[in-house]
Amino acid sequence: MSYDSDRVANETALWHSCSVEKVLKEFATEQSGLAATEAKLRLEKYGANRLKPPKTESVITRFLLQFHNVLIYILLGAFVVTAFLGHWIDSGVILGVVIINAIIGFIQEGKAEKALNAIRRMLSLNANILREGQRMQIPAQQLVPGDIVLLRSGDKIPADLRLFSCKNLRIEEAALTGESEAVEKSIQAVEAITAIGDRFCMAYSGTLVVYGQGMGVVVATGQHTEIGRISQMIAQVDKLASPLLRQMAIFGRWLTIAILVLAASIFGYGLLLQDYPLDEIFMAAVSMAIAAIPEGLPAIMTITLALGVQNMARRNAIVRRLPAVETLGAVTVICTDKTGTLTRNEMTVQNVITAHDQLRVSGVGYVPTGGFSRDGKEIQITDYVDMLELFRAGLLCNEASLHQRDDTWIIQGDPTEGALITLAMKAELDPISEQKTLPRADVIPFESEHRFMATLHHDHAGHGLIYVKGAPEEVLAMCSYQLSQGEDHPIQLDFWRAKISATSKTGQRMLAMASRVVQAKQQTLSISDVEAGLTLLGLVGIIDPPREEAITAVQQCHAAGIHVKMITGDHCITACTIGAKLGIGDGQRAITGIELDDMDDVQLHQVVADVDIFARANPEHKLRLVTALQNNGEVVAMTGDGVNDAPALKRADIGVAMGQKGTEVAKEAAEMVLTDDNFASIAHAVEEGRTVYDNIRKTVVYIIPTSGGEAGILILAIILGMALPITPVQILWINMVTTVTLAISLSFERPESGVMSRPPHDPHASILSGFLVWRIVFVSLLMIAGSFALYFWEITQGSSVELSRTVVVNVLVMCEIVYLFNCRYLLASVFSRQGLFGNRYVLLAVGLLLLMQLLFTYWSVMQQLFGTTALDAEAWGRIIVISLILFLLIEFEKFVLRRRGIQSL
Ligand code: ATP
C-alpha cells in the first residue's frame, strides 16, 4: 500500500493505538528506512518538516510603531502648533524630520532583526536516520513521514515518532505537557483515548531525550506534529532586549519626564519673567525638549548589540540569549571541558599494554596504516594473541564507524572510539567480518557518570561474551582476572596501576578493556552483569594533542584577568599533564571528583579559588563547582555537552554548549553555542562582549553631551533674555544628521588593543561610572561655552540672527565631529594613525556630514527651510578653532586621567 498523506494526517492522533507493524505498513516503510528516491518524492509532495514561523508584525504595523515614542508625540504636537500659528516652513520641516526618522528607525530595526534571524537559522536541528539500512545525519527539515529516526540521550525529537525500539528511553516532554519529570517510553500500543503524556510508545517533536536510546518511525512532520498544532512558534533566540537595554529604556523615560518638566518651567519663566512673545517662548520650550531628549540612544544601543551578536557568530559563538552579550564582558572564570575544547579531539592510539607486553603503535590520525614495535623493534602483531583480543574488544565495544572518502579517513561518532577502530584495522582486523562473527545482542551505552561501555555478543555456536571498555579505574574494579598468553590469571592490581600512572604522565588518555564469558541464553545486558568477575585484556594509551589556538587563548584570558579552570572526566595525571601544556594549573595539583564528594561547602569554597584542574569529575560536580564559584562572587562561564551538563549550564552565568559534539539538551540550556567546539572561541566571545559593552558606553558618552550642549545654550539664552541661538528645526537637523551618521559609526568600533589586558568589569556597576558622568558634564559645558561664545561674539559684532544661528549650528556639528574621534577611545589617546583613521565608518560619516553641512549653509533651498545664511571663511576659521580646542581639551583630560594611574573608566 502506498502512503497517503491526507488520510494519514486525519489519523495522526491515533498512531499510539496501532501496532508497530500497522504503522510501518501504513507509511509504506521498513525498519531499515525509506529508499532515498522515495524520501525525495515525499519531501517534494509533503513539504519540509518545519513549523510556520511565528506571526510577526506586518510591515505597516512595524512602520507605524516607529511613531510610538514620546519624542515623536512632542514633535507631532509641535507640528500642530506651528501649523496653527501659520509657521508653515517649520511645520513642514518638523513633519519631514518625523517621517525620515521613522524610515531610518524602520530600516535599522529591520537590519537588526535580519542579523538575528540569520543566527536563528544557524541553530537548526539535525536528525540521525536510517535510509536503505544506512545510518546518516540529515537536517531535521528534510525528514518525511515514514523515515526511521534513531534517538539517543541528549537529542531533541525532530518530528512525531511511533517508537519501535527502546533501551531505557526516557523523554522529557515539558515543551508539550508542561511536565518536567521525564517519561519512561516503551513500544506497546496504548488505548486510543489516552492523554499525550501517557502515550508511552510515542515521541513528540520538540521534546528531549534525557536518557537511553530508541528508534521510531516518523508519523507526522511540520505543522501536523502535536507541537505544530498547539503552538505557532518555538523561539530559539530572544527578542532584542537585555538588562542593559531595559535599564537604559527606564533611564530614558525618566529623563524624558524630567526634560518635559524643565521645558514647562522654561516656558513659564520666559513668558512670565522675561516677557518673551508666546509663540517664541513656546518654540523655545519645544526646542529645549527636542534638544535634550537623547532619542537616538535606544536605537543605537540595539544596533550595537545586534552587531556584537553578528560578530560573535562570525567568530563561531552563537548567542542564544542576548543578555549574554553583556554578561560575557564581565566573566571572571571560565570552566572548560578538556577533550575537544582544549584538545584537538583527534585521537590516535600510541601505546598498547597487555599483561605480557607493551607495544608502541605508529601512524597518524585515523588512517589505518601503521605498525607495532616493541622496545624500538618492529614486530608481527599476529603473533600477539592477547593484543588481538584487546583490539577486538575495542572494535566491537564501539559505536563509531570509519569511512574512507577519497584520500581521507573520516570517523562518524566518538573520536575515542574511532581511534580504536583504526588501531584494530592496523592489526588487520576487519570491522565488518568481526561484527558478523560476533554479532551484538545488547549494549550499555557510554555515559560520563559511569565512564564505561559494555556490549553483549554471541558467536555462531551461541556462546555469549561481554566486552567492556572504559576508564581504567572503573574497569579494574570490575576485574578479578587478567588475560596472559590466552589464559585467565588472577589480576595483579599494582602492576596495572603502575602502568596507568606511567602512561598518564605523558598526557595520554587511558582506556581499559575487559571481557567475560556468559551463558548462551543471555540476551540482555545490565549493570549487574559487569560489576565483577571480568578478565582484564589490557590498556590503550591515546594521544590527543592540545589545540595551539587554545594555548594562546588561555594566555589571553589570564592577561584579561579571567581564571581558566579545566573540569574533565579524564584521569587526574593525564589532566595535569595536558593542563601544564596549556598553561592551566601547575602540572601537579588537581582535585578529583571523589575528593570533591568528601568536601563540605566551606572546604569547597577555598578549593575552587586555589585549584585549576578538576579530574574524573562528572556533571554533578560541575554544578557544585559553578555554585561554589558564584558564591565566591565570580561570574562564571561553563562549557558542557551532555544531557547531565544542562543543570550546570543553566546555573552558570554563561552556559556554553558545544555545537558539534553537544547534545540538543545542552544547547537548549546554554546561553551560547560554539560552532567549532573550540576554547579559543570562548575567549573571542569574551573579547566581543567587552567590545559591545565598551561601544555602548562610548555611544552613551557621545550622545548625552550633544543633547546637553544644545539644551544648555538654549537655557542660557533664555535666562539672559536673548534671541534663541538655535531654532527647533535647526536642532532637529543637528540631531538627525549626527545620530544617523556619527553616533552609529561608534557601533562599528573594533575592540581596543587593551580590551583583553584589563580586568573584567563589575557586573553590578552602573554603565556610567563616576568618571564618565564627569566626562559628560565636562563636554556638555565645553560645548555650551564654545557655541555660546561664538554666538555672543557674532551678535555683539552686529551680525544678523540668521548668521549667528548658522554659526551656532555649524560649531555644534563640528564639535560633535571632533568629539566623535575623542570617543573612539574612552581613555587612550587618539593621536595615532589608528586613532584618527582606524574606523572607516567614522571617516565616511564625517565626510558625509561635512557635505550636508555645506548644503545646509549654502544651498538656497536649505537656507529657506532652516533659516540659514552663507558664512565667510573667517567665520569658518573661528568654528574650526573652537572645535579643535574642544578636541584638545578632552584629549588633555584623558592624559591627566592616565597620568593619575587610572586604567579604565
Ligand atoms: P571532558 O569532560 O574534558 O570532555 P573527557 O571527554 O575525557 O573529558 P568523558 O568523556 O566523561 O570525559 O570520559 C571520561 C573517561 O571515560 C575517559 O578518560 C575515558 O577513560 C573513558 N571514556 C571516554 N570515552 C569512552 C567511550 N566511548 N567508551 C568507554 N570509555 C570512554
Short mmCIF file of all heavy atoms in Angstrom, two decimals, residues 336-341 347 397 414 416-417 420 446-449 451-453 469-473 509-512 566-571 616-617 622 641 661, ligand 1:
data_model
loop_
_atom_site.label_atom_id
_atom_site.label_comp_id
_atom_site.label_asym_id
_atom_site.label_seq_id
_atom_site.Cartn_x
_atom_site.Cartn_y
_atom_site.Cartn_z
N THR A 336 36.11 24.97 31.75
CA THR A 336 36.01 24.33 30.43
C THR A 336 36.28 22.83 30.49
O THR A 336 37.06 22.37 31.32
CB THR A 336 36.97 25.02 29.43
OG1 THR A 336 37.02 24.24 28.24
CG2 THR A 336 38.37 25.13 29.98
N ASP A 337 35.64 22.12 29.59
CA ASP A 337 35.97 20.70 29.38
C ASP A 337 37.34 20.63 28.75
O ASP A 337 37.84 21.61 28.22
CB ASP A 337 35.01 20.08 28.36
CG ASP A 337 33.61 19.98 28.88
OD1 ASP A 337 33.44 20.03 30.09
OD2 ASP A 337 32.70 19.85 28.04
N LYS A 338 37.88 19.45 28.75
CA LYS A 338 39.18 19.30 28.12
C LYS A 338 39.03 18.77 26.69
O LYS A 338 39.42 19.44 25.72
CB LYS A 338 40.06 18.33 28.93
CG LYS A 338 41.37 17.97 28.25
CD LYS A 338 42.19 17.03 29.09
CE LYS A 338 41.65 15.62 29.18
NZ LYS A 338 41.70 14.89 27.91
N THR A 339 38.45 17.58 26.59
CA THR A 339 38.50 16.86 25.33
C THR A 339 37.71 17.58 24.23
O THR A 339 36.51 17.79 24.37
CB THR A 339 37.97 15.43 25.52
OG1 THR A 339 38.63 14.90 26.65
CG2 THR A 339 38.23 14.57 24.31
N GLY A 340 38.41 17.95 23.19
CA GLY A 340 37.75 18.58 22.05
C GLY A 340 37.65 20.08 22.18
O GLY A 340 37.55 20.78 21.18
N THR A 341 37.68 20.60 23.40
CA THR A 341 37.56 22.05 23.58
C THR A 341 38.96 22.65 23.70
O THR A 341 39.32 23.59 23.01
CB THR A 341 36.74 22.36 24.84
OG1 THR A 341 35.60 21.52 24.84
CG2 THR A 341 36.32 23.79 24.88
N MET A 347 42.08 11.66 17.97
CA MET A 347 42.68 10.68 18.87
C MET A 347 43.49 9.65 18.09
O MET A 347 43.03 9.14 17.07
CB MET A 347 41.57 9.95 19.62
CG MET A 347 40.60 10.88 20.29
SD MET A 347 41.08 11.07 21.98
CE MET A 347 39.82 12.19 22.54
N CYS A 397 33.20 -3.23 21.01
CA CYS A 397 32.53 -2.44 22.05
C CYS A 397 32.64 -0.99 21.62
O CYS A 397 33.40 -0.20 22.18
CB CYS A 397 33.22 -2.69 23.38
SG CYS A 397 32.38 -1.92 24.75
N ASP A 414 32.16 8.97 18.20
CA ASP A 414 33.10 9.45 19.19
C ASP A 414 34.55 9.22 18.73
O ASP A 414 34.92 8.10 18.39
CB ASP A 414 32.79 8.67 20.48
CG ASP A 414 33.70 9.03 21.63
OD1 ASP A 414 34.63 9.82 21.41
OD2 ASP A 414 33.48 8.50 22.72
N THR A 416 37.29 8.96 20.35
CA THR A 416 37.99 7.95 21.14
C THR A 416 37.74 6.56 20.54
O THR A 416 38.64 5.73 20.42
CB THR A 416 37.47 7.96 22.60
OG1 THR A 416 37.52 9.28 23.08
CG2 THR A 416 38.26 7.05 23.49
N GLU A 417 36.50 6.34 20.15
CA GLU A 417 36.15 5.03 19.59
C GLU A 417 36.69 4.89 18.18
O GLU A 417 37.12 3.80 17.78
CB GLU A 417 34.63 4.85 19.62
CG GLU A 417 34.11 4.94 21.05
CD GLU A 417 32.67 4.50 21.22
OE1 GLU A 417 31.93 4.51 20.23
OE2 GLU A 417 32.31 4.14 22.36
N LEU A 420 40.05 3.52 18.19
CA LEU A 420 40.13 2.08 18.44
C LEU A 420 39.86 1.28 17.17
O LEU A 420 40.42 0.19 16.98
CB LEU A 420 39.14 1.68 19.54
CG LEU A 420 39.43 2.31 20.91
CD1 LEU A 420 38.35 1.95 21.91
CD2 LEU A 420 40.79 1.86 21.43
N PHE A 446 27.90 4.29 26.67
CA PHE A 446 28.84 5.07 27.49
C PHE A 446 28.11 6.28 28.06
O PHE A 446 27.40 6.97 27.36
CB PHE A 446 30.02 5.54 26.64
CG PHE A 446 30.93 6.48 27.38
CD1 PHE A 446 31.83 6.00 28.31
CD2 PHE A 446 30.87 7.86 27.19
CE1 PHE A 446 32.66 6.86 29.03
CE2 PHE A 446 31.69 8.73 27.89
CZ PHE A 446 32.58 8.22 28.82
N GLU A 447 28.27 6.53 29.33
CA GLU A 447 27.75 7.76 29.95
C GLU A 447 28.88 8.30 30.82
O GLU A 447 29.60 7.52 31.44
CB GLU A 447 26.54 7.50 30.87
CG GLU A 447 25.35 6.87 30.21
CD GLU A 447 24.39 7.87 29.55
OE1 GLU A 447 24.61 9.09 29.72
OE2 GLU A 447 23.48 7.42 28.85
N SER A 448 29.01 9.63 30.86
CA SER A 448 30.10 10.21 31.64
C SER A 448 30.01 9.82 33.12
O SER A 448 31.02 9.76 33.80
CB SER A 448 30.06 11.73 31.57
OG SER A 448 30.01 12.12 30.26
N GLU A 449 28.80 9.53 33.61
CA GLU A 449 28.66 9.19 35.03
C GLU A 449 29.36 7.89 35.38
O GLU A 449 30.05 7.79 36.37
CB GLU A 449 27.19 9.02 35.43
CG GLU A 449 26.49 10.29 35.75
CD GLU A 449 26.16 11.01 34.47
OE1 GLU A 449 26.23 10.39 33.40
OE2 GLU A 449 25.87 12.21 34.56
N ARG A 451 31.36 6.09 33.13
CA ARG A 451 32.64 6.05 32.43
C ARG A 451 33.03 4.69 31.85
O ARG A 451 34.20 4.33 31.87
CB ARG A 451 33.77 6.55 33.32
CG ARG A 451 33.75 8.05 33.48
CD ARG A 451 35.02 8.56 34.12
NE ARG A 451 34.92 8.56 35.56
CZ ARG A 451 34.45 9.58 36.26
NH1 ARG A 451 34.07 10.66 35.67
NH2 ARG A 451 34.36 9.50 37.57
N PHE A 452 32.05 3.92 31.43
CA PHE A 452 32.41 2.70 30.69
C PHE A 452 31.29 2.38 29.72
O PHE A 452 30.20 2.98 29.81
CB PHE A 452 32.64 1.52 31.65
CG PHE A 452 31.39 0.98 32.26
CD1 PHE A 452 30.62 0.03 31.61
CD2 PHE A 452 30.94 1.43 33.50
CE1 PHE A 452 29.44 -0.45 32.16
CE2 PHE A 452 29.77 0.97 34.06
CZ PHE A 452 29.02 0.02 33.39
N MET A 453 31.58 1.45 28.82
CA MET A 453 30.56 0.98 27.89
C MET A 453 30.68 -0.53 27.83
O MET A 453 31.78 -1.07 27.97
CB MET A 453 30.83 1.60 26.52
CG MET A 453 30.06 0.96 25.40
SD MET A 453 30.47 1.75 23.84
CE MET A 453 29.56 0.65 22.74
N LYS A 469 34.65 -1.61 27.87
CA LYS A 469 35.79 -0.70 27.78
C LYS A 469 35.44 0.58 28.55
O LYS A 469 34.28 0.97 28.63
CB LYS A 469 36.15 -0.38 26.32
CG LYS A 469 35.25 0.61 25.64
CD LYS A 469 35.88 1.03 24.35
CE LYS A 469 35.23 2.25 23.75
NZ LYS A 469 33.77 2.28 23.67
N GLY A 470 36.46 1.17 29.14
CA GLY A 470 36.16 2.37 29.91
C GLY A 470 37.38 2.90 30.63
O GLY A 470 38.52 2.47 30.39
N ALA A 471 37.12 3.87 31.54
CA ALA A 471 38.21 4.45 32.31
C ALA A 471 38.86 3.35 33.14
O ALA A 471 38.16 2.53 33.73
CB ALA A 471 37.66 5.53 33.21
N PRO A 472 40.21 3.29 33.18
CA PRO A 472 40.89 2.16 33.82
C PRO A 472 40.43 1.89 35.26
O PRO A 472 40.21 0.74 35.61
CB PRO A 472 42.36 2.58 33.79
CG PRO A 472 42.47 3.50 32.65
CD PRO A 472 41.16 4.19 32.53
N GLU A 473 40.25 2.93 36.08
CA GLU A 473 39.84 2.67 37.47
C GLU A 473 38.52 1.92 37.51
O GLU A 473 38.34 1.00 38.31
CB GLU A 473 39.66 3.95 38.27
CG GLU A 473 40.81 4.89 38.29
CD GLU A 473 40.64 5.96 37.23
OE1 GLU A 473 40.67 5.60 36.04
OE2 GLU A 473 40.50 7.14 37.57
N ARG A 509 45.46 9.63 27.14
CA ARG A 509 44.14 9.28 27.66
C ARG A 509 44.10 7.76 27.71
O ARG A 509 44.41 7.08 26.73
CB ARG A 509 43.16 9.82 26.64
CG ARG A 509 41.71 9.63 26.88
CD ARG A 509 41.04 10.27 25.67
NE ARG A 509 39.61 10.08 25.67
CZ ARG A 509 38.78 10.85 26.35
NH1 ARG A 509 39.23 11.81 27.10
NH2 ARG A 509 37.49 10.63 26.26
N MET A 510 43.72 7.20 28.86
CA MET A 510 43.80 5.75 29.02
C MET A 510 42.41 5.11 28.94
O MET A 510 41.44 5.65 29.44
CB MET A 510 44.38 5.41 30.41
CG MET A 510 45.73 5.99 30.70
SD MET A 510 47.00 5.29 29.66
CE MET A 510 47.00 3.60 30.18
N LEU A 511 42.40 3.95 28.30
CA LEU A 511 41.18 3.14 28.30
C LEU A 511 41.58 1.72 28.64
O LEU A 511 42.66 1.27 28.26
CB LEU A 511 40.56 3.10 26.91
CG LEU A 511 39.69 4.27 26.46
CD1 LEU A 511 39.16 3.96 25.07
CD2 LEU A 511 38.52 4.47 27.40
N ALA A 512 40.72 1.04 29.38
CA ALA A 512 40.98 -0.37 29.67
C ALA A 512 39.88 -1.20 29.01
O ALA A 512 38.75 -0.74 28.88
CB ALA A 512 40.98 -0.58 31.18
N MET A 566 39.93 23.78 34.31
CA MET A 566 39.61 22.63 33.48
C MET A 566 38.82 21.63 34.32
O MET A 566 39.27 21.24 35.38
CB MET A 566 40.92 22.00 32.99
CG MET A 566 40.74 20.81 32.09
SD MET A 566 42.23 19.78 32.09
CE MET A 566 43.26 20.63 30.99
N ILE A 567 37.64 21.27 33.82
CA ILE A 567 36.86 20.26 34.55
C ILE A 567 36.68 19.10 33.58
O ILE A 567 35.99 19.24 32.57
CB ILE A 567 35.49 20.81 34.97
CG1 ILE A 567 35.68 22.09 35.77
CG2 ILE A 567 34.72 19.77 35.76
CD1 ILE A 567 34.40 22.72 36.25
N THR A 568 37.32 18.00 33.85
CA THR A 568 37.35 16.92 32.86
C THR A 568 36.98 15.58 33.46
O THR A 568 37.14 15.37 34.66
CB THR A 568 38.74 16.85 32.20
OG1 THR A 568 38.79 15.71 31.34
CG2 THR A 568 39.85 16.74 33.22
N GLY A 569 36.51 14.71 32.60
CA GLY A 569 36.20 13.35 33.04
C GLY A 569 37.45 12.49 33.00
O GLY A 569 37.46 11.34 33.44
N ASP A 570 38.52 13.04 32.47
CA ASP A 570 39.73 12.24 32.26
C ASP A 570 40.50 12.02 33.55
O ASP A 570 40.19 12.60 34.58
CB ASP A 570 40.61 12.94 31.21
CG ASP A 570 41.24 11.93 30.27
OD1 ASP A 570 41.47 10.78 30.71
OD2 ASP A 570 41.52 12.28 29.11
N HIS A 571 41.53 11.19 33.45
CA HIS A 571 42.34 10.82 34.60
C HIS A 571 43.10 12.03 35.13
O HIS A 571 43.51 12.91 34.37
CB HIS A 571 43.32 9.73 34.15
CG HIS A 571 44.01 9.05 35.28
ND1 HIS A 571 45.13 9.57 35.87
CD2 HIS A 571 43.75 7.90 35.92
CE1 HIS A 571 45.53 8.75 36.83
NE2 HIS A 571 44.69 7.73 36.88
N ARG A 616 38.35 13.47 36.68
CA ARG A 616 37.36 12.44 36.97
C ARG A 616 36.11 13.06 37.58
O ARG A 616 35.54 12.59 38.55
CB ARG A 616 37.93 11.40 37.95
CG ARG A 616 38.97 10.49 37.31
CD ARG A 616 38.38 9.60 36.23
NE ARG A 616 39.34 8.62 35.76
CZ ARG A 616 39.61 8.42 34.47
NH1 ARG A 616 39.01 9.13 33.52
NH2 ARG A 616 40.46 7.49 34.11
N ALA A 617 35.75 14.20 37.01
CA ALA A 617 34.58 14.91 37.53
C ALA A 617 33.39 14.55 36.66
O ALA A 617 33.53 14.33 35.45
CB ALA A 617 34.84 16.40 37.48
N LYS A 622 30.23 19.47 38.30
CA LYS A 622 30.24 20.76 37.60
C LYS A 622 29.27 21.71 38.26
O LYS A 622 29.57 22.89 38.46
CB LYS A 622 29.81 20.57 36.14
CG LYS A 622 30.87 20.01 35.24
CD LYS A 622 30.39 20.06 33.81
CE LYS A 622 31.49 19.75 32.84
NZ LYS A 622 31.03 19.80 31.45
N ASP A 641 28.45 19.48 27.22
CA ASP A 641 27.88 18.90 26.01
C ASP A 641 26.80 17.87 26.27
O ASP A 641 25.91 17.67 25.48
CB ASP A 641 28.99 18.30 25.12
CG ASP A 641 29.98 17.46 25.92
OD1 ASP A 641 29.60 16.98 27.01
OD2 ASP A 641 31.12 17.29 25.45
N LYS A 661 29.76 18.43 19.10
CA LYS A 661 29.54 17.18 19.84
C LYS A 661 28.49 17.33 20.94
O LYS A 661 28.16 16.38 21.61
CB LYS A 661 30.86 16.62 20.37
CG LYS A 661 31.50 17.44 21.47
CD LYS A 661 32.67 16.67 22.08
CE LYS A 661 33.21 17.48 23.24
NZ LYS A 661 34.00 16.80 24.18
P1 ATP B 1 35.94 16.23 29.09
O1 ATP B 1 34.92 16.23 30.18
O2 ATP B 1 37.03 17.16 29.28
O3 ATP B 1 35.37 16.29 27.72
P2 ATP B 1 36.51 13.52 28.74
O4 ATP B 1 35.92 13.52 27.37
O5 ATP B 1 37.80 12.86 28.90
O6 ATP B 1 36.70 14.90 29.32
P3 ATP B 1 34.49 11.73 29.44
O7 ATP B 1 34.04 11.71 28.03
O8 ATP B 1 33.50 11.80 30.53
O9 ATP B 1 35.45 12.91 29.71
O10 ATP B 1 35.43 10.47 29.62
C1 ATP B 1 35.92 10.08 30.86
C2 ATP B 1 36.71 8.82 30.73
O11 ATP B 1 35.86 7.80 30.26
C3 ATP B 1 37.86 8.92 29.73
O12 ATP B 1 39.04 9.31 30.35
C4 ATP B 1 37.99 7.51 29.23
O13 ATP B 1 38.82 6.74 30.07
C5 ATP B 1 36.57 6.98 29.34
N1 ATP B 1 35.88 7.03 28.06
C6 ATP B 1 35.76 8.08 27.25
N2 ATP B 1 35.07 7.78 26.15
C7 ATP B 1 34.72 6.49 26.26
C8 ATP B 1 33.95 5.58 25.46
N3 ATP B 1 33.40 5.95 24.31
N4 ATP B 1 33.81 4.32 25.89
C9 ATP B 1 34.33 3.95 27.06
N5 ATP B 1 35.05 4.74 27.85
C10 ATP B 1 35.25 6.00 27.48
#
